[in-house]
Amino acid sequence: MVQPQFDHQKYRAFPALKLNDRTWPSQTLLSAPQWCSVDLRDGNQALIEPMSVEQKKKLFQLLVDVGFKQIEIGFPSASATEFEFCRWLIEENKIPNDVTVQVLTQARPALIQRTFEALDGVKSAIVHVYNSTSKVQRDKVFKLDRQGIIDIAVKGAQDVIDCSKDYPQTQWQFQYSPESFTATELDFAVDICNAVLHVWQPTNKQKAILNLPATVEMSTPNVYADQIEWFIRHIDYRDAVIISQHTHNDRGCAVAAAELGSLAGAQRVEGTLFGNGERTGNMDIITYAMNLYSQGIDPQLDLSDIDTISRVAKECTQLPIHPRHPYAGELVYTAFSGSHQDAIKKCLALQSKEEAWDVAYLPIDPADLGRDYQEVIRINSQSGKGGIAYILERDYGIELPRWALIEFSSIVQAHSEQSGEETSSSAIWNLFERQYLKQNQFSIAETQLSSDGQEQIKVRLSHANNDTVSIAGQGSGALEAFNRALSSHFKHDIEVLDYSEHALSQGVDSKAICYIQARIEGHRYLGVAIHQDIMNASLQALLCTFNQHYQTNHQASLV
């Protein structure tokens, strides 16, 4: 008989731990763990195109703004880019006093020496040293026995101590990871970590960090929690050690494993924004933190502007965020079912600010993350959006991004309900034109661009009442310069949240269409413009958002 290709018999079950007196199932999470973002290292190495230094700078600032107090900034001994970024942070004094940077190095003398050179002058830092400890790595990669692997770890631990003495001005903390902890025999994991601790001699005032990574997720989360609890029971220097965890998402359970690991006694969690990482990803800090928040626990991170966090993360990693991503996805606070919509609207009407949040289908208040209720309470359906998208693309070449489709579909839905008739293709196009392409407020009469390091823009705007106004601004590009000009002159806070563009047809004469989602004074607007020149299309699309805000609020001034 031919063996089928999809053959479960080639695998064996991960062995469960015999821990009959486990205590973690009866524990409750009461506070946030120590967070350490590894976006700039573990997250960066998982990208198709690693981040540039400029992207790293932007992402580092985002992590600081969100509130991370420990940030792994890279592997400075691995490449010139990593080394230069580390030096830039230190030499330009970009590390806040309450933030400790962490760097990774293998337990190899030359790499450890280079790591300390990269950190010269830093106020405080965590040096994270590791080596592989699993049986498969010992047998098939390094071809060493247990003692041979312990010798590597001990030598690395001693090298870290020796190098640190050359930089006495820095407050050092040392961290060791038995890589592939979950695939390592627990008694050996304890032995090698104890050997490292005996070199470092940590104290209650100068604690070491032991990081226990599920480098490859191989079991259900409860088994990982058992491993953590067993390890903690047997490790030396317990009061002088911080137990850290670093879970991966190969089985889709990285967040659950980290939560149970915290119940089992781990005090610290390493992860990334939105779970970016090798293979299926790292532990998603956004999800873990918001899970705590939804239970009334302060996550010690400020995630109140999730749209900005999402936008910067996408810009720096060049990775999308799934529309169904927990808490941050475009669609997670939108119910398409009529019964769901009805329940949400009724609950929102009865929800008091003085009472605990209790709204059907919404585990948290979307407003806490900077989302408004428009997308929650709109009347919509999956088939409705799909049909609108199909007609716009088939008949007019317009491919609305999902976030734009969500807004426009509600306009079509409202029209359909009011007319009580089938909405034709031409009617959909008329609605589209009237909402976005035929604005009757401000229009661009003249544009002047110049460059002197930054883009300088001067724009003369015409108003529907025949008045004109001249505005000017500068920025890294024409769109940013125009945004600053509008914001400054009309004294409105305008923030671009999303941007998309495409050609309406093929050929040199094709026109471009640009979509912009902007937040103006706390409200989100969709702007659309069509022009043969993409730059002009982007400026007009941004002006389209402003026109909608102006028409709604009548607050702009022609001064």
Side-chain angles (χ1 to χ4, degrees), residues 20 115 228 265 293 302 357 359:
N20 296 327
T115 298
I228 295 287
Y293 183 79
D302 184 1
W357 182 255
V359 175

Side-chain angles (χ1 to χ4, degrees), residues 154-279:
V154 168
K155 180 63 167 60
Q158 187 60 55
D159 289 340
V160 166
I161 287 283
D162 294 341
C163 287
S164 69
K165 293 178 181 177
D166 294 332
Y167 304 90
Q169 76 280 7
T170 298
Q171 181 180 343
W172 299 108
Q173 188 170 26
F174 305 139
Q175 174 174 326
Y176 174 71
S177 285
E179 191 193 15
S180 298
F181 162 77
T182 49
T184 301
E185 306 92 328
L186 281 177
D187 64 320
F188 179 55
V190 167
D191 286 345
I192 196 168
C193 288
N194 278 338
V196 169
L197 294 178
H198 293 335
V199 174
W200 286 345
Q201 294 289 308
T203 66
N204 188 263
K205 292 184 178 180
Q206 186 64 35
K207 295 185 177 182
I209 301 172
L210 291 180
N211 190 52
L212 307 179
T215 306
V216 178
E217 187 175 41
M218 306 174 72
S219 70
T220 50
N222 62 297
V223 174
Y224 181 66
D226 281 349
Q227 291 174 311
I228 295 287
E229 183 165 341
W230 193 95
F231 180 92
I232 288 174
R233 292 182 186 182
H234 293 84
I235 194 70
D236 294 342
Y237 301 92
R238 179 63 191 96
D239 293 337
V241 171
I242 296 170
I243 301 298
S244 176
Q245 50 185 335
H246 181 118
T247 58
H248 278 247
N249 205 41
D250 299 86
R251 292 170 53 93
C253 302
V255 171
E259 290 177 326
L260 298 192
S262 295
L263 292 175
Q267 303 135 290
R268 183 177 184 266
V269 172
E270 293 188 347
T272 61
L273 300 176
F274 307 109
N276 172 43
E278 290 279 26
R279 304 179 308 278

Side-chain angles (χ1 to χ4, degrees), residues 282-318:
N282 281 38
M283 205 286 301
D284 183 342
I285 289 181
I286 297 287
T287 299
Y288 189 166
M290 287 306 302
N291 284 352
L292 293 174
Y293 183 79
S294 71
Q295 302 301 302
I297 299 171
D298 183 357
Q300 300 294 307
L301 296 174
D302 184 1
L303 306 176
S304 59
D305 191 355
I306 200 69
D307 286 331
T308 295
I309 295 170
S310 301
R311 187 183 76 252
V312 174
K314 288 189 289 187
E315 289 174 358
C316 293
T317 65
Q318 302 300 303

